Amino acid sequence: MHKVYYQPEGIWVGDIMPYGEDGTFYLYHQRDTRNPEPFGEPFGWALATTKDFVNYKDFGESLERGGDEEVDQYIYAGTVFKVGDKYHALYTGCNRDKVRARLMKQVLLHATSDDAVKWEKNIAETLLPPQEGYDDRNWRDPFVLWDEENEEYMLILGTRVGEDKRLMTGRLVKFTSKDLTNWEFQGDWWNPGLYTMFEMPDLFKMGDWWYLVFSEYSDGNKTRYRMSKSINGPWITPADDSFDGRAYYAARTAFDGERRVLFGWVPTRDEGGDPSSYLWGGTFMPLEIVQRADGTLGTKLPDSMLGAFGEAKAVEAFELSCESGKVEQVLAADAGSTYMLDADIELAGDAAGFSVKLAEDAESGLAYEFRANLREGKLEFTAAPQYPWFQVNNMGLERPLFFKGEGTHHVRLVVDDDIATIFVDDVALNARFCNKQGQGVALTVTDGALKCANATIASLWRQRTVL
């Protein structure tokens, strides 16, 4: 069971609709029981709140699902926002059985609350049904914000044209309203021709920049972003337009007054089948957004989570050097199943790369590996050795890296049972691994020299509490 990241016992966390207010984050989320399979029993929105991502208060189901004959048999993703003293939820209602039989459509519905815990639904009012020409089975995940410039509410949602999911017809469409009751359809808002469908769109401003966050419904399955100086674009694609790799999905952001945090989930894997396949839902992992000087975005572990770890044990500074090939230094033969590693890494300018090996077995040498491949300019998760131990082949677990070894770089690794998260400076990569061989952790360098300083390993001492 995970001790750092949030996953209620016996439950797999699906899409999260985050809302932040006065230092508290509200995690409205779908709970999958895996009975009998992923995306099994119908669900509403459960609620948990947290201030530090260590301790949570669990309210159970907050926005209750409808019956098996109702339009919101499943409550898919939506958005929560506050106007005056009233909380609003615009959400996607779906009766999966009837949609498949073409007896119903996916529709947008409205609920209100005085305390953000218990909601009053207005099922009689079907809000914003699919417009003509769009796929009525893929009309979901609305996001609402107030457009100050035009003094109106703006709603964007993901859909597609036609029913052939092989075609790249996914787009975001836009509605506007002055009163949250009467909405006007504005047509396509962003149609890049790149994806079959969009999920979980999000729009926010930080400094002088607007950011559009979305998850691509395709083989890549990444949460990506675009940036613009205007709320309506045109949208610039940064050189690295994703927040993580394949093992982090459906992330939306929320702002609590101080921090803007991404709320996504690390998917589970089909351990009995193809190890490169992923299942819907998994474990919530927060990534706090960092804005760089050029406006592009990085991420970090929220500082409040550091309080979950005990006193760190220092690792003596060392150097590694190898003219041709790869050498390693063991940092801990048994780091345990849950720990955090921090280290400052300085590379010689011509070094091919370095890696952090985890779950390493001292006798066999089998391990998993986060590898900074500087010659190819990427951070990747793989197995060590790669042959014949094909455990993470073709899993899409990689991110671009744009430095060539100059300067000192900070590395942070968090291991929580079968989930590992690495940060190289402000570039994050999550992974979920199977068939763990050991609990050792080591550092390597390839074709060059490395200096490691200020390295520490801290074990978990304050287990997450859920009230």
Side-chain angles (χ1 to χ4, degrees):
M1 191 65 190
H2 303 102
K3 300 179 177 64
V4 178
Y5 302 141
Y6 178 77
Q7 182 181 348
E9 187 172 358
I11 296 294
W12 285 258
V13 176
D15 296 349
I16 301 171
M17 284 56 65
Y19 172 74
E21 184 178 17
D22 298 333
T24 297
F25 287 106
Y26 295 71
L27 284 70
Y28 300 95
H29 59 284
Q30 300 157 347
R31 290 185 173 179
D32 188 8
T33 61
R34 297 286 166 93
N35 182 23
E37 58 188 12
F39 221 88
E41 295 178 313
F43 47 68
W45 286 359
L47 171 63
T49 61
T50 185
K51 294 179 180 291
D52 56 11
F53 301 103
V54 177
N55 303 293
Y56 291 81
K57 185 174 182 180
D58 189 345
F59 293 88
E61 191 169 61
S62 177
L63 180 57
E64 297 180 356
R65 77 171 183 93
D68 288 341
E69 297 299 316
E70 296 182 74
V71 69
D72 62 345
Q73 174 197 33
Y74 286 78
I75 296 185
Y76 288 173
T79 184
V80 173
F81 56 98
K82 189 177 184 181
V83 179
D85 294 328
K86 185 76 73 174
Y87 297 89
H88 295 261
L90 289 180
Y91 64 95
T92 307
C94 181
N95 188 305
R96 190 170 66 176
D97 301 327
K98 294 184 182 296
V99 167
R100 286 175 175 173
R102 305 315 299 264
L103 299 174
M104 283 188 181
K105 306 173 181 180
Q106 288 188 0
V107 296
L108 303 191
L109 300 169
H110 185 205
T112 57
S113 175
D114 293 324
D115 60 4
V117 177
K118 292 300 180 183
W119 294 86
E120 180 179 350
K121 299 190 295 184
N122 187 358
I123 296 297
E125 177 191 358
T126 297
L127 187 70
L128 308 185
Q131 302 293 296
E132 185 176 354
Y134 296 93
D135 186 355
D136 60 21
R137 304 165 306 163
N138 290 278
W139 182 264
R140 60 180 178 269
D141 305 357
F143 179 81
V144 176
L145 79 163
W146 175 252
D147 181 353
E148 292 184 359
E149 181 178 347
N150 296 302
E151 296 185 338
E152 61 188 7
Y153 292 98
M154 172 180 174
L155 182 153
I156 56 175
L157 63 88
T159 186
R160 51 175 292 106
V161 170
E163 298 183 358
D164 189 345
K165 291 188 176 182
R166 297 171 299 179
L167 302 180
M168 302 300 179
T169 64
R171 70 222 29 229
L172 296 174
V173 297
K174 176 182 175 180
F175 289 84
T176 57
S177 174
K178 298 291 186 181
D179 56 10
L180 294 178
T181 300
N182 301 294
W183 292 90
E184 294 185 10
F185 183 55
Q186 306 296 340
D188 288 357
W189 183 68
W190 190 51
N191 175 22
L194 293 172
Y195 309 109
T196 65
M197 175 65 183
F198 286 93
E199 294 190 311
M200 302 296 280
D202 181 13
L203 190 60
F204 66 89
K205 190 176 185 182
M206 181 179 286
D208 295 330
W209 289 95
W210 281 96
Y211 297 94
L212 169 64
V213 177
F214 61 93
S215 288
E216 55 166 298
Y217 191 70
S218 67
D219 289 339
N221 280 102
K222 292 182 179 180
T223 296
R224 301 183 182 273
Y225 77 98
R226 299 292 188 265
M227 50 196 293
S228 175
K229 289 296 181 71
S230 168
I231 191 173
N232 288 304
W235 297 102
I236 300 169
T237 303
D240 178 12
D241 70 337
S242 62
F243 291 103
D244 206 312
R246 172 65 179 81
Y248 192 77
Y249 192 66
R252 265 189 175 161
T253 76
F255 183 65
D256 70 341
E258 295 184 2
R259 304 163 290 177
R260 183 163 291 276
V261 177
L262 274 164
F263 294 75
W265 42 264
V266 179
T268 45
R269 289 174 53 193
D270 184 7
E271 297 186 32
D274 181 359
S276 67
S277 66
Y278 294 92
L279 304 178
W280 183 86
T283 309
F284 162 58
M285 189 272 158
L287 289 172
E288 184 173 344
I289 288 179
V290 176
Q291 187 182 48
R292 304 184 183 112
D294 63 356
T296 60
L297 301 178
T299 58
K300 69 174 186 175
L301 191 74
D303 292 340
S304 59
M305 295 185 70
L306 303 181
F309 294 90
E311 183 178 356
K313 295 181 180 179
V315 177
E316 188 174 347
F318 62 88
E319 297 183 18
L320 288 176
S321 180
C322 181
E323 291 185 3
S324 177
K326 180 177 176 180
V327 293
E328 75 172 63
Q329 173 75 40
V330 174
L331 305 180
D334 186 355
S337 62
T338 305
Y339 63 89
M340 181 172 65
L341 164 69
D342 279 294
D344 291 325
I345 304 297
E346 182 180 355
L347 295 168
D350 59 350
F354 68 94
S355 72
V356 179
K357 297 173 70 175
L358 61 144
E360 185 171 28
D361 178 66
E363 294 185 6
S364 67
L366 296 178
Y368 289 96
E369 188 172 34
F370 282 108
R371 184 167 57 192
N373 185 334
L374 301 185
R375 286 180 178 162
E376 296 184 16
K378 63 182 180 180
L379 173 66
E380 57 188 346
F381 183 74
T382 184
Q386 289 181 285
Y387 180 86
W389 197 44
F390 292 117
Q391 295 295 320
V392 290
N393 202 22
N394 298 321
M395 293 182 65
L397 299 183
E398 62 181 46
R399 297 284 312 281
L401 283 178
F402 296 106
F403 64 82
K404 295 297 181 182
E406 64 276 3
T408 299
H409 303 278
H410 185 73
V411 173
R412 169 168 288 163
L413 171 71
V414 177
V415 176
D416 185 11
D417 193 23
D418 64 347
I419 296 177
T421 312
I422 196 168
F423 298 86
V424 178
D425 297 328
D426 59 8
V427 175
L429 185 62
N430 270 287
R432 190 186 293 268
F433 49 94
C434 310
N435 302 323
K436 183 165 55 177
Q437 301 295 307
Q439 296 191 141
V441 59
L443 193 66
T444 82
V445 68
T446 302
D447 295 349
L450 171 152
K451 295 180 181 179
C452 176
N454 305 316
T456 60
I457 298 176
S459 299
L460 189 82
W461 69 274
R462 183 182 174 190
Q463 187 168 342
R464 183 186 66 245
T465 61
V466 179
L467 302 177

